[in-house]
Amino acid sequence: MSTDSLTVAAAAALDAILERHGRRPEQLLQVLREIQEHAGHVPDAAQLRIARALGLPLSRVRGVIGFYAFLSPVPWGRYRVLFSDNITDRMQGNLELLDHLCRRLLLEPGRMSEDGLVSVDTTSCTGLCDQGPGLLVNGWAIPGISRERLDVIADLILEGRPVTAWPAELFAIADNVRRAGMLLDNDLRPGDALRAALARGDLSEVEQAANTRSWREANMAPPQGPVATLNEIRAANLRGRGGAGFTTAYKWESCRNAQGEQRYVVCNADEGEPGTFKDRVLLASHADLVFEGMTVCAYVVGAGRGFLYLRGEYRYLLEPLEAVLTRRRRDGLLGKDILGIPGFSFDIDIHLGAGAYVCGEESALIESLEGKRGIPRNRPPYPVTHGYLKHPTTVNNVETFCAAALIAARGGEWYRATGTAKSAGTKLMSVAGDCALPGIYEVPFGTTVAELLEMAGAEHTQAVQISGPSGTCIGVDEFQRRIAFEDLATAGAFTIFDDSRDMFEVARNYAHFFAHESCGFCTPCRVGTAILKATMDKIHEGRGAPCDLHEIAQLDDVLHQSAHCGLGHTACNPTLDTLKRFRPVYDRHLDHLDFEPAFDLDGALRRARQMTGRDDADAHLDGEPAP
Ligand code: SF4
């Protein structure tokens, strides 16, 4: 597609995409993503045509393109290579490997080659920490990068072979399940949980069911199936697995009781927290359980439609997941009159994200589902009453829906028998970093950090980052703490650092992550994360002073008080956690006792001096001697 005008073929391709998405404005992100995949960017002419077709201002289309990292209005090259840049990728040498590929391709990182063939850059964690370093080529994930594999990739690029024709073994991603429990070892067949849920009701009443609010309002004694299933979820004491730990039954009941003609169920599969990859495994190998849990939820709350919001980095899972949905429709587990129950109708669409960590926040995710920039909403109102297109919406994490399906099948008391008094069931942990056996561990709640470290074959561990950068960093003296909502609540990331690692550099990597992922909506976060990053870089460069650490503590106060969402609230956590527990590593970086500005003004003038050919004393700021 050219930037100025579309060829007849390009216009036809674009129209076909628009048509497939019903020319609905809430499909904007999906339309843009498909054009990006088709053409390598979204040209100006396509933007205009999309704006007209969807009845949107051009500025809205441009705003959405600018918001998501995987969309671009300008070409990046026929091949866009993005190296995953989580701390574990760093530990596995991702930057040296990036440099190797750039040398092979005669490229500068971050710039497209002059012939428009290829560009190479970094991106946030791609969810391959157990088999890193990872990268994406035109959105397709490749694990286990080594120099040898990069040489193969470089040859394929230079040959101009389409990514879809590359050897399949390059893209082979393992589940790496190291320990399975009630969830990963379940023997449910598709439909078992739904049949069990339906069997709890009086079938004669359920048969009358129409999955709408009017049906419920018209029935003084509503069908017992949904109520009985909700009671099982309540008895199980299921809490959301996305990190916040909200009570699932309360969320479902609130949505069920909210005013509105339509209800929606949304599965948050935007697993963007660096260090977590357990949803990747659930979606790859337990998709039926995920969709079954969503359908059980729809049955309880009375929803007719659901969405699985899949992170863009998991693009490779899209077709396999679509195939599972197709099979479930064929088997009467989705669609109209599910399992032959009149009125119990529900179907699921998959929406693919486009590289924005903040969309993991449920209200931002809903904005993104509506085809907008993924900026978190003001709350209240909450999604359970005003969610997708302002309709009552239940949003849960992938793992939560899997647990809900298990509970629907086996009952609340069965589920609650595992775990602790306040944290029922098991937790999937994504274990990565310095250990012999990285991968997925399903452990009962109450398992200690020390036990998990032993299972993973970790030695000489000095720290574990629990729940990714927005979580908690703990040291050796806390390894007896437990994975549980009442102690270490976690979305599942468990990143191990042995005593060879510089914990300051870990915190610096996370500071870069937050600055990169701040959506920019509110000034305290946009500016605050940039200041944090600059301060950590300054300390790294040996220009830090103790007052910088004090500044970070103050910055944390400001962000907690004034940032709009959790990203801003937690941005300073890794720095403050490591500062508290590993102060000596910071002190080693602090060469100055006095204040040093984070911005090197004289350094910024270097290029001007080069251009003018001057390097005398007057061409430097006062006090900055000429070399
Ligand atoms: S706190 Fe940060 S991520 Fe959240 S809305 Fe504000 S700018 Fe966006």
Side-chain angles (χ1 to χ4, degrees), residues 67 357-358 374-376 514 517-526 529 559 562-569:
F67 186 84
Y357 164 79
V358 72
I375 293 172
F514 283 121
E517 295 297 338
S518 168
C519 81
F521 171 71
C522 55
T523 308
C525 173
R526 186 178 66 246
T529 52
L559 285 172
S562 53
H564 183 58
C565 83
L567 187 150
H569 298 156

Side-chain angles (χ1 to χ4, degrees), residues 310-390:
L310 183 66
R311 72 182 305 223
E313 289 80 351
Y314 295 167
R315 162 71 185 84
Y316 69 99
L317 289 172
L318 180 62
E319 282 81 11
L321 287 169
E322 293 282 13
V324 175
L325 287 176
T326 301
R327 172 170 48 73
R328 290 182 70 87
R329 284 182 199 116
R330 188 199 64 205
D331 294 347
L333 301 174
L334 280 176
K336 200 164 172 344
D337 301 337
I338 290 171
L339 290 173
I341 309 300
F344 178 25
S345 300
F346 177 68
D347 211 335
I348 297 171
D349 288 323
I350 300 176
H351 275 237
L352 204 53
Y357 164 79
V358 72
C359 288
E361 197 277 344
E362 66 176 7
S363 69
L365 183 143
I366 290 171
E367 287 284 296
S368 185
L369 268 181
E370 293 179 357
K372 302 175 194 160
R373 297 188 295 157
I375 293 172
R377 292 177 176 172
N378 284 326
R379 296 186 298 177
Y382 293 93
V384 284
T385 57
H386 295 74
Y388 180 69
L389 300 177
K390 305 264 185 302

Side-chain angles (χ1 to χ4, degrees), residues 6 13 20 76 125 232 279 323 339 353 389 412 428 461 487 563 588:
L6 295 174
R20 199 166 54 254
W76 279 321
C125 178
E232 294 299 332
D279 291 348
L339 290 173
L389 300 177
L428 265 61
T461 306
D487 190 355
R588 279 203 292 278

Side-chain angles (χ1 to χ4, degrees), residues 119-421:
S119 62
V120 175
D121 209 337
T122 58
T123 186
S124 292
C125 178
T126 54
L128 297 167
C129 317
D130 57 330
Q131 47 205 301
L135 57 72
L136 304 173
V137 184
N138 292 354
W140 298 90
I142 299 182
I145 292 304
S146 61
R147 281 180 173 241
E148 294 69 33
R149 278 162 80 82
L150 285 178
D151 288 340
V152 172
I153 289 170
D155 289 342
L156 290 163
I157 289 173
L158 293 170
E159 279 170 30
R161 184 118 47 109
V163 177
T164 46
W166 288 14
E169 63 262 25
L170 277 176
F171 303 94
I173 293 171
D175 278 356
N176 279 340
V177 173
R178 307 287 186 184
R179 188 182 197 278
M182 64 203 301
L183 198 156
L184 295 176
D185 244 356
N186 81 84
D187 57 359
L188 293 187
R189 291 160 305 160
D192 278 357
L194 271 175
R195 286 186 203 92
L198 296 169
R200 284 194 186 94
D202 177 338
L203 198 61
S204 62
E205 288 178 352
V206 175
E207 277 175 340
Q208 300 163 14
N211 230 25
T212 63
R213 181 169 177 81
S214 55
W215 149 60
R216 268 199 304 282
E217 284 174 341
N219 278 276
M220 297 310 287
Q224 289 306 299
V227 174
T229 302
L230 181 60
N231 286 340
E232 294 299 332
I233 300 288
R234 188 179 289 113
N237 191 25
L238 178 63
R239 296 173 67 174
R241 299 297 196 247
F246 199 76
T247 306
T248 304
Y250 185 70
K251 188 182 262 191
W252 288 18
E253 188 170 36
S254 302
C255 184
R256 175 184 163 81
N257 291 334
Q259 296 287 331
E261 288 301 312
Q262 306 275 346
R263 280 170 180 66
Y264 293 90
V265 172
V266 174
C267 178
N268 183 347
D270 193 44
E271 180 180 46
E273 194 70 42
T276 184
F277 46 85
K278 45 106 185 160
D279 291 348
R280 181 198 87 208
V281 173
L282 290 175
L283 293 163
S285 299
H286 298 270
D288 265 302
L289 202 62
V290 180
F291 293 138
E292 186 113 351
M294 292 177 70
T295 313
V296 167
C297 178
Y299 175 60
V300 169
V301 306
R305 193 157 171 225
F307 300 106
L308 183 128
Y309 188 101
L310 183 66
R311 72 182 305 223
E313 289 80 351
Y314 295 167
R315 162 71 185 84
Y316 69 99
L317 289 172
L318 180 62
E319 282 81 11
L321 287 169
E322 293 282 13
V324 175
L325 287 176
T326 301
R327 172 170 48 73
R328 290 182 70 87
R329 284 182 199 116
R330 188 199 64 205
D331 294 347
L333 301 174
L334 280 176
K336 200 164 172 344
D337 301 337
I338 290 171
L339 290 173
I341 309 300
F344 178 25
S345 300
F346 177 68
D347 211 335
I348 297 171
D349 288 323
I350 300 176
H351 275 237
L352 204 53
Y357 164 79
V358 72
C359 288
E361 197 277 344
E362 66 176 7
S363 69
L365 183 143
I366 290 171
E367 287 284 296
S368 185
L369 268 181
E370 293 179 357
K372 302 175 194 160
R373 297 188 295 157
I375 293 172
R377 292 177 176 172
N378 284 326
R379 296 186 298 177
Y382 293 93
V384 284
T385 57
H386 295 74
Y388 180 69
L389 300 177
K390 305 264 185 302
H391 296 296
T393 303
T394 302
V395 185
N396 278 127
N397 170 265
V398 174
E399 190 182 344
T400 314
F401 281 123
C402 289
L406 281 187
I407 294 162
R410 307 268 186 255
E413 287 309 317
W414 169 83
Y415 190 80
R416 201 173 182 154
T418 304
T420 70

